[in-house]
Amino acid sequence: MRWFTSDTHFAKTGDKILRREMRPYKTIKEYCDDQIRIWNEQVSKDDVIYHLGDMCNYNGTEKDFLPGLMLVQEVNAKVILIMGNNEERVMQYCFENNFEKFRDFCIRHGFLDVKQNDTISIDGTKLYLVHRPIDCKPGMLNLYGHVHRQGGIWSPYGFNICTDVNHFRLYSENDIRFLISQKAAWDNDADTKFLAGIK
């Protein structure tokens, strides 16, 4: 089984994400422990989790990226990390802006792989996996993160699979299959067209 999520912002001390995204946890440790517990209840050891960026924190005030990335070692499945803007900052400031150096470090510490983006297929439907919706591939169905709850799950170009819109659970391949089956109805729904700014 393949699983999908993004924007966990794991950390040891940086807890601003809890307040900013109204995550219902008192401490960052409580949040991280619960997130990993939820994942491990969902996955098995041969499964692959695609994490679509911002697994860790690295910004102006929160730079404890290492504990966030190292949580991969507590996950009972393989993890492929798609680069988010936080990982890009880690790469820039801590790995001499060298993608291969950052990728090698992550693989040595438990990741199956690290990619800028990826393309997979579910039942013949190609999906482009990317962190920011602005980087989505035109003409393809995209899975993306970055926006947290903003805009909900559906968009004309794909689905927001951020942890915040799925109650901190991973989206399964079957969940994505269901979203794909509903996309035509959403695309033609007057309310969703209005919300997406489609005339």
Side-chain angles (χ1 to χ4, degrees):
M1 178 71 74
R2 291 174 291 185
W3 304 83
F4 307 89
T5 194
S6 74
D7 297 277
T8 51
H9 291 269
F10 291 144
K12 185 175 182 180
T13 59
D15 63 357
K16 289 181 180 176
I17 190 71
L18 302 181
R19 295 187 301 277
R20 189 176 78 231
E21 298 302 326
M22 297 178 287
R23 293 180 176 174
Y25 297 92
K26 293 179 183 175
T27 67
I28 194 72
K29 182 180 186 326
E30 179 189 17
Y31 160 68
C32 291
D33 289 348
D34 198 46
Q35 183 80 94
I36 297 299
R37 177 192 63 78
I38 291 168
W39 289 10
N40 286 339
E41 287 176 356
Q42 291 185 267
V43 301
S44 65
K45 65 181 179 63
D46 294 322
D47 291 348
V48 174
I49 298 170
Y50 285 87
H51 192 297
L52 274 57
D54 286 5
M55 181 168 179
C56 66
N57 273 343
Y58 198 90
N59 55 49
T61 59
E62 298 174 316
K63 301 191 184 302
D64 62 335
F65 72 91
L66 193 55
L69 290 177
M70 292 305 100
L71 282 177
V72 72
Q73 297 170 356
E74 298 180 25
V75 178
N76 296 334
K78 302 170 182 75
V79 179
I80 295 175
L81 176 62
I82 303 295
M83 295 286 283
N85 48 295
N86 279 274
E87 287 82 24
E88 288 170 355
R89 285 191 286 264
V90 170
M91 180 183 71
Q92 180 179 359
Y93 296 112
C94 305
F95 291 86
E96 301 166 353
N97 209 28
N98 185 317
F99 173 74
E100 288 304 325
K101 193 172 180 180
F102 176 69
R103 178 177 176 267
D104 290 345
F105 173 85
C106 290
I107 291 171
R108 281 197 321 271
H109 288 89
F111 287 87
L112 179 61
D113 204 354
V114 178
K115 300 180 177 188
Q116 300 282 1
N117 51 62
D118 203 0
T119 302
I120 65 164
S121 181
I122 295 180
D123 299 337
T125 299
K126 285 190 176 179
L127 298 162
Y128 188 66
L129 311 181
V130 67
H131 178 63
R132 290 188 279 286
I134 195 170
D135 298 324
C136 284
K137 189 170 274 194
M140 282 191 75
L141 199 54
N142 297 268
L143 299 184
Y144 59 90
H146 187 64
V147 294
H148 294 258
R149 289 184 312 278
Q150 185 179 2
I153 297 171
W154 171 89
S155 74
Y157 44 83
F159 304 107
N160 171 14
I161 52 83
C162 185
T163 191
D164 295 289
V165 293
N166 201 31
H167 307 287
F168 310 107
R169 295 178 58 79
L170 299 164
Y171 283 91
S172 71
E173 210 166 317
N174 289 333
D175 294 330
I176 302 302
R177 215 173 256 120
F178 174 76
L179 292 174
I180 291 168
S181 77
Q182 299 302 302
K183 185 161 180 6
W186 287 334
D187 287 348
N188 293 305
D189 183 272
D191 290 335
T192 54
K193 282 183 177 183
F194 174 76
L195 291 172
I198 300 172
K199 305 292 184 225

